[in-house]
Amino acid sequence: MRRKSGDKEKRIADAAIRVFGRDGYHGAKITRIAEEAGVATGSVYLYFRNKQSILQYLFAKLWKELHVGFAYVAQQADLDPRTKVELIIDGILDQFEKNPSLALLFVNEQTQLLRDGTGEFMQYYVDFLQLGERVVRDGIRKGVFRPDVDPRIFTNLVFGATRQLLHQWARAPRQFPLDTVRREIKAVFFGGLLIPLSSTAPRA
Amino acid sequence: MRRKSGDKEKRIADAAIRVFGRDGYHGAKITRIAEEAGVATGSVYLYFRNKQSILQYLFAKLWKELHVGFAYVAQQADLDPRTKVELIIDGILDQFEKNPSLALLFVNEQTQLLRDGTGEFMQYYVDFLQLGERVVRDGIRKGVFRPDVDPRIFTNLVFGATRQLLHQWARAPRQFPLDTVRREIKAVFFGGLLIPLSSTAPRA
Amino acid sequence: MRRKSGDKEKRIADAAIRVFGRDGYHGAKITRIAEEAGVATGSVYLYFRNKQSILQYLFAKLWKELHVGFAYVAQQADLDPRTKVELIIDGILDQFEKNPSLALLFVNEQTQLLRDGTGEFMQYYVDFLQLGERVVRDGIRKGVFRPDVDPRIFTNLVFGATRQLLHQWARAPRQFPLDTVRREIKAVFFGGLLIPLSSTAPRA
Amino acid sequence: MRRKSGDKEKRIADAAIRVFGRDGYHGAKITRIAEEAGVATGSVYLYFRNKQSILQYLFAKLWKELHVGFAYVAQQADLDPRTKVELIIDGILDQFEKNPSLALLFVNEQTQLLRDGTGEFMQYYVDFLQLGERVVRDGIRKGVFRPDVDPRIFTNLVFGATRQLLHQWARAPRQFPLDTVRREIKAVFFGGLLIPLSSTAPRA
DNA sequence: GATGAATGAGCCTTCATTCAT
DNA sequence: GATGAATGAAGGCTCATTCAT
């Protein structure tokens, strides 16, 4: 008999990342994914129920991997909140460092899945946002973060900002080197844009 | 009552905002747009070359309107940089305050147009990013902003963060009231998350 | 504007009768139906939801027409039962006299629809079988038909026999002229095959 | 337990009868047949050239078995014609008594094979119809059957009627018990529906 | 022989766009 | 200009068949 080659699913998934990333979910043709995977069209359907489920699989996998890092952060009770925030940001950026296509997919096609609000990845996404909130709230309680920051909004700020820069990096890696991006995000989110006048927080 | 034919283009555009916003660019059907506009399918093509050009038109219009505010900011040589940044953020949020559908469109479908990199809106978008850079650079020169902030990256941070929160607001206005969002964005971007230890900037 | 030509639905339906009749439901391609109807492929879907619904429409129409005749028979309280049976048989045969393709469809593809047991036609079919039963039962009560005949089975006998001969006629009209078929069916079902032992043959 | 490989062909054939009968020829999937046969998909093709040939095989086998009984009838020169007709009807019904799936196959999918008019089974089918004709003609000659019956049409009447009732029985065995069906068919075809005017009904 | 993963031709259906009225 | 019926290219998916193991 013909053994499942084992890497075929991976080749399809990888091709899907490239094609979805390049052409967008709707611009991506199954036949093209199969072609780039070096596989017959029908073979795609041996491993995935349909086009939508490929995207779901990719996002579930992606968020599952992000989740591993986040879970680690969540468990370290003694880690200081600032480090936790840094680890979360790093966790996201590290995930894409080697794979710009994946970044494009992540940045552009999540909408596709959010629209119906189902799918395995949804849980991880919600978990992530909650984790962010918890970390910020914890930091506030410990007197490290400003008490007037809204944890949920802050988390979304970081996520949105990171997303945008990931996008820019994936489109023009030279102009947006990931290391610089990483440093800037942290610097701005921690210290803000203003030069503090004195020791009092200049907040409204 | 038979409305004046003169407003047909507007009715189509408005319907398109709703339908694109609700169903996404690819999920949107021309016939549905026509229907919501109270117009025959074919009439859409009297005012727009094709589906893509409707989206281009909407984004061009949107960015043109944003641009008006930005241009004002750019011209005020004497305005302090911090206020300029605030005006830019406000400019974006104000644009969508009355129109969640437009926010969804703005947030979800820009990708569609970025993909091919052409279109009138592109110029406005690039202009906007350059304006942001200039304002930040100006602030640094004037000693108001931290000198180690990368102006281009900072601009993208703000844009990405705003985008994300606009999305959340449009999806759940109660949980993300625009006023709170507006205040938080400014607070965080200006002052950061950390409570300054003393007067020295705590940057790496 | 372009007015619905009006006969397009009919042309598609007629083409469908031919193609379904000739190639069978599964062998029939929508594109071929459209072609024979002198219509674009997509136009088929202006008039019918999908392939299956074309078949359903045709059977519903067919049985509705048969039903008209049957309903007449059912209402005539004073008609003698034998004439009623004759009218029913005639009703079926008349329906197909002008249209062998329709006969092939009727004879071969009803299975397709019986399988799921739904559809408008189903009701007419059941009605028809019940009408047959009622007529036979009535005939028995009136002492015209043999009392030991099972009305339901008899009805099915007639239907099955008629179906088979319709099939043969549609395949080879010369070998199975409809008039002969009609006469034979009645003769056999009324008088049977045997020569009555003691009486003269009561045949027409 | 691993069954002897020798019965694989039979297991496939039996599974095919069930699956074809249940799902129809086109609804039947080779993989499903293999599964029900407890055999790998590819193995089906070790025993049968293709899907169509499975059906052909089944019908050939079926008709070959029917033919055995018919051949016996044909050879008995001294058997009275009426008995011959009865034996033919019994032959058909007996064949399916134990196997409703086979009945469904027989009743629904013969069309599939008639369409192209080839196949081994075709000869047996034609033979059967000719036998019927011969028997009826013989009966007429012997003065037992009505001289005005068309032998070919009569044969088709019997075949069609039997087919229909086999179908009903296979769908609802309780409502159409095979014994009742058998009796009714004979009674009606021999004696007809009408009560002979001057004689007593010559029914069993 | 046996297996079941792999193949790819083929078809139903959608929908942006056109065009006769 | 306005209409909406008509068009037909294109693509997701199925499944009979093949073939490497």
Side-chain angles (χ1 to χ4, degrees), chain A residues 16 31 37 56 63 91-92 111-112 123 144-145 161 163 172 180 188-189:
Chain A
T31 295
Q56 274 167 343
W63 277 99
I92 297 175
T111 304
Q112 206 51 235
Q123 192 50 57
V144 190
F145 296 162
R163 211 179 99 119
T180 313
V188 169
F189 277 113

Side-chain angles (χ1 to χ4, degrees), chain C residues 148 156 163 189 193 203, chain D residues 148 163-164 189 193 203:
Chain C
D148 50 358
N156 276 284
R163 212 179 100 119
F189 278 113
L193 179 65
R203 297 199 59 184
Chain D
D148 49 358
R163 212 180 97 121
Q164 169 76 11
F189 277 114
L193 179 65
R203 297 198 61 186

Side-chain angles (χ1 to χ4, degrees), chain C residues 8 10 15 18 32 49 54 65 70-71 73 88 103 123 125 147 151 155 177 184 187 189:
Chain C
K8 216 159 261 188
K10 181 164 171 31
R18 286 195 302 278
R32 187 82 174 104
R49 195 159 19 78
I54 304 177
E65 284 169 17
F70 299 156
V73 168
I88 290 173
Q123 192 51 55
Y125 179 44
T155 304
E184 287 294 321
F189 278 113

Side-chain angles (χ1 to χ4, degrees), chain A residues 1-176:
Chain A
M1 93 173 151
R2 217 146 150 181
R3 274 281 141 62
K4 264 199 180 179
S5 73
D7 70 327
K8 213 158 264 184
E9 178 169 354
K10 182 168 170 29
R11 275 172 29 223
I12 293 169
D14 288 345
I17 290 172
R18 287 195 302 279
V19 178
F20 281 151
R22 187 201 324 122
D23 304 336
Y25 179 75
H26 284 99
K29 318 287 168 236
I30 291 291
T31 295
R32 187 86 175 101
I33 291 174
E35 193 182 327
E36 293 210 11
V39 148
T41 303
S43 296
V44 172
Y45 291 86
L46 286 177
Y47 297 94
F48 299 95
R49 195 158 19 79
N50 54 29
K51 190 181 178 181
Q52 165 94 344
S53 81
I54 304 177
L55 193 67
Q56 274 167 343
Y57 167 85
L58 294 176
F59 268 88
K61 186 162 177 294
L62 183 50
W63 277 99
K64 213 175 295 177
E65 284 169 16
L66 288 170
H67 185 74
V68 171
F70 299 157
Y72 171 80
V73 168
Q75 279 156 15
Q76 306 300 317
D78 52 346
L79 228 53
D80 84 291
R82 176 185 170 143
T83 305
K84 284 188 175 179
V85 172
E86 291 197 71
L87 285 174
I88 289 173
I89 294 170
D90 286 337
I92 297 175
L93 295 181
D94 289 350
Q95 184 67 21
F96 300 101
E97 190 143 32
K98 299 285 164 45
N99 200 340
S101 287
L102 193 61
L104 283 173
L105 182 68
F106 178 68
V107 153
N108 290 328
E109 309 303 335
Q110 181 143 324
T111 304
Q112 206 51 235
L113 296 177
L114 281 177
R115 196 114 43 197
D116 67 341
T118 67
E120 194 187 352
F121 105 97
M122 207 53 186
Q123 192 50 57
Y124 291 110
Y125 179 45
V126 171
D127 273 7
F128 158 74
L129 292 175
Q130 286 176 346
L131 168 63
E133 279 186 57
R134 238 179 303 125
V135 169
V136 174
R137 205 171 291 122
D138 187 47
I140 292 173
R141 198 163 15 106
K142 288 185 172 153
V144 190
F145 296 162
R146 296 173 182 278
D148 50 0
V149 164
D150 179 310
R152 183 192 282 153
I153 291 182
F154 181 81
T155 304
N156 275 286
L157 279 179
V158 173
F159 184 67
T162 306
R163 211 179 99 119
Q164 169 76 10
L165 280 157
L166 224 30
H167 194 190
Q168 295 288 34
W169 164 74
R171 286 170 54 90
R174 298 293 164 76
Q175 288 182 49
F176 294 86

Side-chain angles (χ1 to χ4, degrees), chain B residues 10 16 24 27 42 53 60 74 131 140 143-144 160 166 180 184:
Chain B
K10 179 164 171 32
S53 82
L131 167 63
I140 292 172
V144 189
L166 223 30
T180 313
E184 286 293 322

Side-chain angles (χ1 to χ4, degrees), chain C residues 108 164 167-168 171, chain D residues 52 55 109-118 121-122 125-126 129 159 163:
Chain C
N108 291 326
Q164 169 76 11
H167 194 190
Q168 295 288 34
R171 287 170 53 91
Chain D
Q52 166 93 348
L55 193 66
E109 309 304 334
Q110 180 144 325
T111 304
Q112 210 48 237
L113 296 176
L114 283 176
R115 198 110 47 196
D116 65 343
T118 66
F121 106 96
M122 206 53 185
Y125 180 45
V126 171
L129 292 174
F159 184 67
R163 212 180 97 121

